[in-house]
Amino acid sequence: GAGVSQSPSNKVTEKGKDVELRCDPISGHTALYWYRQSLGQGLEFLIYFQGNSAPDKSGLPSDRFSAERTGGSVSTLTIQRTQQEDSAVYLCASSRGLLNTEAFFGQGTRLTVV
Amino acid sequence: QKEVEQNSGPLSVPEGAIASLNCTYSDRGSQSFFWYRQYSGKSPELIMFIYSNGDKEDGRFTAQLNKASQYVSLLIRDSQPSDSATYLCASPIYNQGGKLIFGQGTELSVKP
């Protein structure tokens, strides 16, 4: 597609349920990022995939969070046993993957845990 | 020290003035810097990037990079109310595999 696509746009879930968020990056982009943004806050780095390298998971806040990237393209962020503090906008971005190339963002998934 | 730091603001300027947004970074190996604009409720969008020391101009926007001082700035000339947004500075961190790190963002308000 022309841009980074995320689904769903909005997700309301009950506390304790698992959720999956999907990101479809720009075709040919080897780098993919997940960030989290709480209301009025900055971007919190979660995880970074670069080509076939092991992902940088250093930003994942707990072991309830995991992400995978299949075939070097689509990525899924999974949050298990959701908590109210997980409520935020989850943003995905992709880039060509070289050090000097810019990243483009999807429209985000707004997650609300009730 | 955070890898990329910005003053959170808010920065308020009158319409028509020059808005100056600043960013410092800690990794001397950083090669490139990006400025994103984020309107409330929207995703960040790239507005400028700079790789070389000096100034880079694009319309009303000028990015300035000083690698010796590890400082990058964004100037917005003839500020308009539509420029009111949060501006995010970002850089790939060389010693972390090129991971793109963002500053906390500076909120800009342009008053008519």
Side-chain angles (χ1 to χ4, degrees), chain A residues 37-96:
Chain A
Q37 190 170 37
S38 300
L39 189 63
Q41 302 299 309
L43 292 174
E44 177 188 3
F45 166 79
L46 297 178
I47 189 167
Y48 166 49
F49 295 90
Q50 171 52 58
N52 295 320
S53 301
D56 180 345
K57 304 179 182 179
S58 60
L60 295 177
S62 77
D63 58 9
R64 295 186 297 105
F65 288 73
S66 63
E68 63 177 19
R69 189 177 184 191
T70 54
S73 181
V74 172
S75 177
T76 302
L77 176 69
T78 302
I79 309 173
Q80 295 178 312
R81 305 182 302 281
T82 51
Q83 304 294 311
Q84 287 186 329
E85 60 263 29
D86 299 334
S87 297
V89 175
Y90 289 80
L91 290 161
C92 176
S94 72
S95 78
R96 289 202 303 274

Side-chain angles (χ1 to χ4, degrees), chain B residues 21-36:
Chain B
L21 304 159
N22 305 315
C23 175
T24 57
Y25 60 94
S26 60
D27 183 4
R28 285 198 169 274
S30 293
Q31 299 294 315
S32 54
F33 302 87
F34 307 104
W35 283 100
Y36 287 80

Side-chain angles (χ1 to χ4, degrees), chain B:
Chain B
Q1 181 187 5
K2 293 181 180 178
E3 291 101 342
V4 180
E5 291 199 71
Q6 298 179 253
N7 292 328
S8 60
L11 173 66
S12 182
V13 300
E15 184 175 355
I18 296 176
S20 178
L21 304 159
N22 305 315
C23 175
T24 57
Y25 60 94
S26 60
D27 183 4
R28 285 198 169 274
S30 293
Q31 299 294 315
S32 54
F33 302 87
F34 307 104
W35 283 100
Y36 287 80
R37 177 177 62 199
Q38 186 176 26
Y39 292 115
S40 181
K42 301 294 185 182
S43 296
E45 61 174 322
L46 180 70
I47 56 172
M48 286 284 287
F49 59 89
I50 186 165
Y51 303 148
S52 304
N53 264 334
D55 295 358
K56 179 182 178 182
E57 187 174 317
D58 184 0
R60 295 187 295 111
F61 297 97
T62 299
Q64 299 175 318
L65 174 59
N66 183 326
K67 291 187 177 181
S69 300
Q70 295 178 245
Y71 177 90
V72 58
S73 64
L74 180 69
L75 301 179
I76 306 175
R77 290 183 300 282
D78 187 24
S79 295
Q80 301 297 308
S82 59
D83 295 326
S84 297
T86 296
Y87 290 81
L88 298 157
C89 173
S91 180
I93 303 301
Y94 180 79
N95 63 8
Q96 295 185 36
K99 181 170 73 179
L100 190 63
I101 297 295
F102 285 81
Q104 284 297 100
T106 299
E107 183 183 351
L108 172 66
S109 177
V110 181
K111 304 294 187 184

